[in-house]
Amino acid sequence: AVCNMPSTEHASLAAGEARIKFSCFRSPKLDSFDEDAVAAQISGLSAALVMLEKLGAAPIAPDGKLAGNAGAVCTEGILVSRSGKPPGVVPSAADFCVVGSFDSEKWSCEYGRTSSSDCAQPTSDSPLHWASLVRAPKEFGWDHQPQYLLHGHALETEDEARKLNIPISTQETLFSTKEDTDALMELLKEFPYPANKIWIRKGHGFVILGSSIDDV
């Protein structure tokens, strides 16, 4: 499926602008994370990404890459899919990164990649993953911390949100930016997890949180 994104995201990618809009610092310590310990998570996230693509929930963006990603909580921080996943490819361990920290002030992250990857960087939506899986549970005092996240573009309009009774943000912001994450945090604060498990970012698709890969 070809992505029919609203103007801000579509225009950014069509113009050839970088997906990742934060600074990435590769950490030798994180490069040595235990791949065996997250093998089951990688397998589950890979299957979820394939499912999103087959369902059209992760369509092809103007830059030829997929508009969708997945992540999970791990010992080192969060495990996320790589930036710019090509269509029609089943993700392997080389297509995932560990984000050990995300600095909301400096707008930067520390990350590590698997030994089988020589170029992967974390998804441009790493701020969204960190906010949902790490920041929101702590800052908003959620009773449970979600463990998995799926993000795609099958749902992103007010009409869709109203028909399905899904919380949606009121402001459209550009992905991978501080403004986009701030808008998501406001949504997560007003509609907390686990009473809510799916939200729509206006113009930036859906976010699903859950306790397991089967849950999301």
Side-chain angles (χ1 to χ4, degrees):
V2 176
C3 188
N4 295 311
M5 296 177 180
S7 58
T8 53
E9 189 157 352
H10 187 280
S12 173
L13 294 174
E17 296 180 6
R19 278 181 170 240
I20 298 176
K21 296 173 174 59
F22 51 89
S23 299
C24 292
F25 299 101
R26 191 173 170 193
S27 165
K29 181 180 179 181
L30 291 172
D31 271 349
S32 62
F33 73 90
D34 187 352
E35 293 180 39
D36 291 336
V38 295
Q41 288 177 302
I42 288 176
S43 177
L45 293 173
S46 176
L49 288 169
V50 170
M51 179 190 68
L52 286 180
E53 184 177 359
K54 286 183 177 179
L55 293 175
I60 301 173
D63 62 355
K65 307 298 183 182
L66 292 180
N69 43 72
V73 174
C74 65
T75 302
E76 293 84 0
I78 58 172
L79 178 72
V80 297
S81 52
R82 60 170 289 187
S83 176
K85 178 191 176 300
V89 177
V90 177
S92 67
D95 296 304
F96 289 88
C97 297
V98 163
V99 175
S101 64
F102 195 96
D103 191 319
S104 300
E105 296 300 321
K106 296 180 179 179
W107 208 239
S108 64
C109 79
E110 285 191 330
Y111 79 100
R113 59 174 68 130
T114 64
S115 58
S116 55
S117 174
D118 59 359
C119 64
Q121 287 187 300
T123 171
S124 58
D125 283 314
S126 292
L128 176 152
H129 285 260
W130 191 266
S132 303
L133 295 172
V134 181
R135 282 184 60 197
K138 293 180 180 178
E139 294 184 20
F140 304 146
W142 290 354
D143 293 333
H144 303 280
Q145 180 184 18
Q147 299 296 303
Y148 286 83
L149 184 155
L150 294 183
H151 169 56
H153 285 265
L155 304 171
E156 55 188 14
T157 70
E158 292 180 278
D159 285 343
E160 290 167 328
R162 184 168 53 253
K163 289 176 182 178
L164 297 172
N165 196 30
I166 299 173
I168 184 171
S169 55
T170 57
Q171 182 181 6
E172 182 179 342
T173 51
L174 185 61
F175 72 103
S176 197
T177 63
K178 188 176 187 301
E179 292 75 19
D180 188 64
T181 303
D182 287 345
L184 174 65
M185 287 292 283
E186 291 180 9
L187 196 60
L188 296 176
K189 182 178 182 180
E190 185 176 356
F191 301 96
Y193 175 90
N196 299 276
K197 292 186 176 181
I198 180 170
W199 303 258
I200 297 177
R201 283 287 297 106
K202 184 179 180 181
H204 188 192
F206 63 84
V207 173
I208 301 175
L209 296 177
S211 59
S212 66
I213 193 65
D214 291 334
D215 192 23
V216 297

